Amino acid sequence: MQSAKDSLYASPLGEISAFSFDEAVVKVFPDMIRRSVPGYSTIISAIGLLAARFAKEDSVCYDLGCSLGAATLAMRQQISIKNCRIVAVDCSTAMVEQCRQNLSAAPGGVDIDILCADIRDVAISNASVVVLNFTLQFIPLADRQAFLATIYRGLLPGGILILSEKLAFDDVRQQALQIDMHHLFKKAQGYSELEISQKRSALENVLIPETFAAHQQRLKTAGFASAEVWFQYFNFASMIALK
């Protein structure tokens, strides 16, 4: 899709509403995500490669919190086995509508089902690949363990969960450094101090980051045999959990 420049927080806002994936965000989302998440394009490309490696015949690959379908498209471009399909899910009506348009503009490959639903309500079954690409961080902390346990139960033996998240750090100096470097990254992408500050306020109590240790422990509690970081750029990381 053609993406407008993200200027949602460029002007002073009297009252900053909580961030939501509404129509205004959808219009600028590709630009927003590219300029806000270090290494995003690398992660998307790797998701396609990992899906090609782990997808099995007669199984399902899930993209939970699919937004505009970037990870779904990457998987479809790489998966070549028979009788495998992708289920892409997002709870934002605006995101799902644009995702449908994006996928219809790039036909071919494995079948894709697009659902507008809360990912916590989706029955995961017969899954060889599950993707949570910067999605878990928007789920309430109290729901995360049970949600990951549901994913684990729905994965086939040898299946993979790809989990990308913004990280927090226990060490105070590391936390401050990683936040500062992320802000410098955003400034290098053209965001102003005002935009960075207002966006941060909008995301407060909406996006709740955790440490890698917390993620790793939760994944192991859910039953995963191992969980490791495969990519990190400042305080943004992507993990692989294996069943």
Side-chain angles (χ1 to χ4, degrees):
M1 66 175 287
Q2 288 288 85
S3 174
K5 183 179 180 181
D6 174 22
S7 58
L8 297 181
Y9 298 95
S11 300
L13 301 174
E15 182 177 346
I16 301 175
S17 301
F19 185 87
S20 65
F21 294 96
D22 55 18
E23 291 183 4
V25 168
V26 168
K27 291 178 181 178
V28 302
F29 189 71
D31 183 67
M32 174 186 287
I33 201 80
R34 177 185 63 82
R35 296 166 62 207
S36 300
V37 178
Y40 184 77
S41 61
T42 298
I43 293 171
I44 291 297
S45 296
I47 286 172
L49 296 175
L50 286 164
R53 166 67 174 77
F54 283 89
K56 297 180 179 180
E57 289 189 13
D58 303 311
S59 74
V60 184
C61 299
Y62 290 87
D63 183 5
L64 303 178
C66 63
S67 62
L68 300 184
T72 294
L73 280 168
M75 287 194 285
R76 185 171 70 176
Q77 289 167 358
Q78 295 294 335
I79 295 173
S80 59
I81 61 172
K82 299 177 181 179
N83 300 325
C84 179
R85 65 188 178 94
I86 300 171
V87 174
V89 187
D90 204 284
C91 65
S92 166
T93 301
M95 282 287 185
V96 168
E97 289 177 355
Q98 186 60 55
C99 181
R100 292 186 192 279
Q101 294 181 37
N102 292 350
L103 294 175
S104 64
V110 299
D111 292 338
I112 300 173
D113 298 325
I114 307 172
L115 307 178
C116 186
D118 188 320
I119 58 175
R120 292 169 293 181
D121 298 331
V122 176
I124 308 298
S125 63
N126 195 36
S128 54
V129 177
V130 176
V131 174
L132 286 171
N133 200 40
F134 301 105
T135 301
L136 188 68
Q137 58 199 19
F138 292 103
I139 292 178
L141 284 167
D143 294 348
R144 295 181 187 182
Q145 186 67 67
F147 177 57
L148 289 178
T150 298
I151 291 174
Y152 178 81
R153 288 192 297 269
L155 273 168
L156 296 168
I160 184 175
L161 167 63
I162 305 164
L163 173 65
S164 307
E165 290 280 289
K166 183 178 183 180
L167 295 181
F169 299 84
D170 286 326
D171 183 84
V172 174
R173 291 185 302 167
Q174 278 285 357
Q175 177 72 1
L177 172 62
Q178 299 288 348
I179 290 174
D180 286 348
M181 294 311 297
H182 181 219
H183 288 176
L184 286 174
F185 172 86
K186 294 181 77 171
K187 288 179 184 178
Q189 306 307 311
Y191 282 119
S192 66
E193 290 277 6
L194 177 65
E195 288 175 290
I196 293 170
S197 175
Q198 293 191 140
K199 175 75 172 294
R200 186 177 183 181
S201 295
L203 285 169
E204 189 175 5
N205 299 321
V206 175
L207 188 165
I208 309 297
E210 296 180 276
T211 65
F212 169 64
H215 285 295
Q216 189 178 49
Q217 182 58 56
R218 185 183 290 118
L219 289 163
K220 290 186 176 181
T221 299
F224 287 93
S226 68
E228 300 293 345
V229 170
W230 71 268
F231 178 87
Q232 184 173 345
Y233 192 152
F234 298 140
N235 50 347
F236 288 80
S238 189
M239 298 158 255
I240 290 173
L242 300 174
K243 182 168 181 177

